[in-house]
Amino acid sequence: VLDFGLAKAWEGGAPDGSSSSAALSQSPTLANTGTVAGLILGTAAYMSPEQARGKPVDKRADVWSFGVLLWEMLTGRALFAGDTVTDVIAAVVTKEPDLDALPAATPGAVRRLLGRCLRKDPRTRLPDIGGARLELQDVLAGTATEVGAPSADVAEAARAERSGRVRERWTWAAVALAASALAATLAFVHMTEVPEPRLPARFVVDPPEGWTFTPFRWPVPSPDGRQVLFQASPETQDGATMLWTRPLESLAARPLPRTEGAQDPFWSPDGRFVAFRAGGELRKLSLADGTVQTICALPSGGFGPGDWNEEGTIVFSASSDGVSAIHAVAAAGGEPRPVVTADATRGETALHLPQFLPDGRRVVFIALGEGDGLPGVYVASLDRPDERRLLAPGRTRALYAAGHVLFAREGTLLAQPFDAERVEPTGEAVAIASSLGFSPANHGIGYLGVSPGGTLAYMSGQAATGQVQLAWVDRKGGQVETIGEPGSYGQIALSPDERQVALEIFEADEEQYDLWVMDVARGVTSRVTATPGTERDPVWSPDGRSLAFVARRAEGADLRRKGLRASDPETVLTDSPDEDIPESWSSDGETLLFIRQTTSFDEKTVWALPLSGDGEAEPVLTAFLLDEPQLSPDSRWLAYISNESGRDEVYMEPFRREGDRVRISVAGGGQPKWRGDGKELFFTTPDNRLVAVEVQTAGDRIEVSLPVELFEIRGLQGAGYDDYAPSRDGQRFLVKLPIEEDRRQQLHIVTNWPSLLEQ
């Protein structure tokens, strides 16, 4: 738009043979010759007065041309027209631009900018086009200052040119007097004028070319509202997810360096840093120089973005010693400490998604559980963490901004007036957007972000349905074939003969998981459980004829076993006040390993249950917080997760006998799985990579190779879940891929969103 260059040769007039103003606007004043000093070169309708007179020109000529083009964009007609090129040039030299012809709704700041761009004398013209960009950014952000009748600028400039020599004779006293009078006048006008209303602007952003928006992730506007952070994944399995930023004044997003594998970003209050999770750590990126610093190692079990207050305190959700809590840490670095802890006596099981209120001391968060008022949105103070107040019932996420609380309800975004001091709503909720992305398992947790600067961002698209496609991929992540239809699948478990896959399928109407089995060859599913309540964590028996699982009911949770038909009876395997979750079955079918976790989540231990005779379950490993115990194919070795180092790592040791104990993962790990011959172990990393290590055993000794990264697995639920399954030969993997429609997700951005409430 700003490259006005030298005109090319133009032959002929308008299509009808006349010399239309449109044709003249593209006509050169000289063609088919080289550049010659003193000759006029340029497009007649856009050349500056000094250019039309054949005088020397500089960058201020482009400022004039920009002003002409902006005027034409606003009015829809040519600023300088005529029957011939000579007439057009004469108009450029002699005619004053008519700013009164601009649309009535043109902001005063834009009128003033045009007046400064279209001054005949280049000495009084806007000196640099960069100034125009700053002016227009202020208009878009609503921070431009309106000062009186802008059209007077051009008339005043014309009078100034005609009386230039007179002005040069003014005394300094006269200048000072005039400046004082002008300042007083502008102050009066600024105080008495009625500001023009700022209208909202909406636009939609597609993912960068070759990338797709990562499902179930929050876009995050910067504090000043001028750019939006989002997480994107490459369309192929090559490469890691990254953080991207989309400046509102730009047409393209740009990736942030050193954010490979980053998740759940959030801004510092001044917009100078971006904090995020990666590699089991909380890190911050300096936007000024691109450096990344570690803030702290993360406890296990947290998810979702945190928040950062003006005092330099960051809050985030995580589990420490098995207890879910909102943690706080200094942004400069340090040890995180729990500040608001889940209260087991009230039935709370987890606290998530904290956000500071404007005072920087009180925190809004989601509390999950099955007690009174749970799940619900609560507020607690860092100064009095045990005193909390229920703001709204249900599993939803509330974001405070501009005197309102924003929250989602079944794909609709609502804003409710809210008094942040008294911490209570002051009016009815109003819908301000639809088609908001949300997880079917968490209807109220909409994927949106909002800034104090008035910018709202949210995701829409099929990824919000939570549907995924089961597929086989090779060791490089390349897709081999798909299996069945897309669905809302949770954890998956491949049968021993690889002919069936057990699935957790979320039933949105009942808000519960049921177990199904899919035929791998035909893609046909059959229901296994149909009773009220949730059934999860399926584990196959070695003969492939039954499943062990945990059944959660209102009265508690049980470890159960059931055949594959819906009519088969369920057998309760353990009777414990704690929750028993099946994990691995011995190859002879005689022993079932399970995790026993207390209702307060402060203990997770590995137990073995004999399935023949009258034997009782007995503990196998009891130190630290343990998860995902996986017996090797010959049942001689046990791989599992332990948090003894401060984060989840994968370990291996002999099963029920003495011998070597080896840490397998290097920088965090989860979801260990064996190859069919026991000579290779797979696991996932905190940045969603699938890793393999070769395993050699001799007697009770273990030797493992260095970990080798295979590919990225998108959308992992966590270290203690089952999101993939290796084939027996370890050459391919059953995974859950985003379906094709998911790649058509869109990022919606709304500037000045509070004005939506006035429409």
Side-chain angles (χ1 to χ4, degrees), residues 20-96:
S20 69
S21 60
L24 289 171
S25 71
Q26 304 178 67
S27 297
T29 56
L30 186 68
N32 297 327
T33 67
T35 303
V36 180
L39 291 181
I40 303 173
L41 294 176
T43 309
Y46 300 100
M47 67 174 57
S48 65
E50 65 270 23
Q51 186 178 4
R53 291 189 176 103
K55 294 183 177 182
V57 297
D58 56 22
K59 60 183 180 180
R60 292 173 295 184
D62 280 346
V63 172
W64 169 278
S65 302
F66 167 79
V68 174
L69 186 59
L70 181 57
W71 191 93
E72 293 181 355
M73 292 172 68
L74 292 171
T75 62
R77 56 191 178 89
L79 177 56
F80 300 108
D83 293 333
T84 67
V85 171
T86 302
D87 293 335
V88 174
I89 293 178
V92 170
V93 174
T94 62
K95 184 180 178 182
E96 292 295 339

Side-chain angles (χ1 to χ4, degrees), residues 399-488:
L399 294 178
Y400 176 85
H404 290 76
V405 167
L406 279 68
F407 59 95
R409 182 179 295 159
E410 296 290 345
T412 298
L413 177 59
L414 300 103
Q416 185 171 25
F418 189 83
D419 188 324
E421 288 298 322
R422 294 186 296 170
V423 194
E424 61 183 26
T426 59
E428 296 298 322
V430 176
I432 59 175
S434 59
S435 302
L436 182 69
F438 63 92
S439 166
N442 299 290
H443 283 196
I445 302 181
Y447 294 93
L448 70 141
V450 65
S451 78
T455 297
L456 166 68
Y458 63 92
M459 303 300 300
S460 69
Q462 291 298 318
T465 66
Q467 297 210 337
V468 294
Q469 173 68 64
L470 292 181
W472 285 109
V473 298
D474 59 27
R475 289 178 70 95
K476 294 183 178 180
Q479 183 172 313
V480 177
E481 63 176 323
T482 60
I483 299 174
E485 297 295 325
S488 299

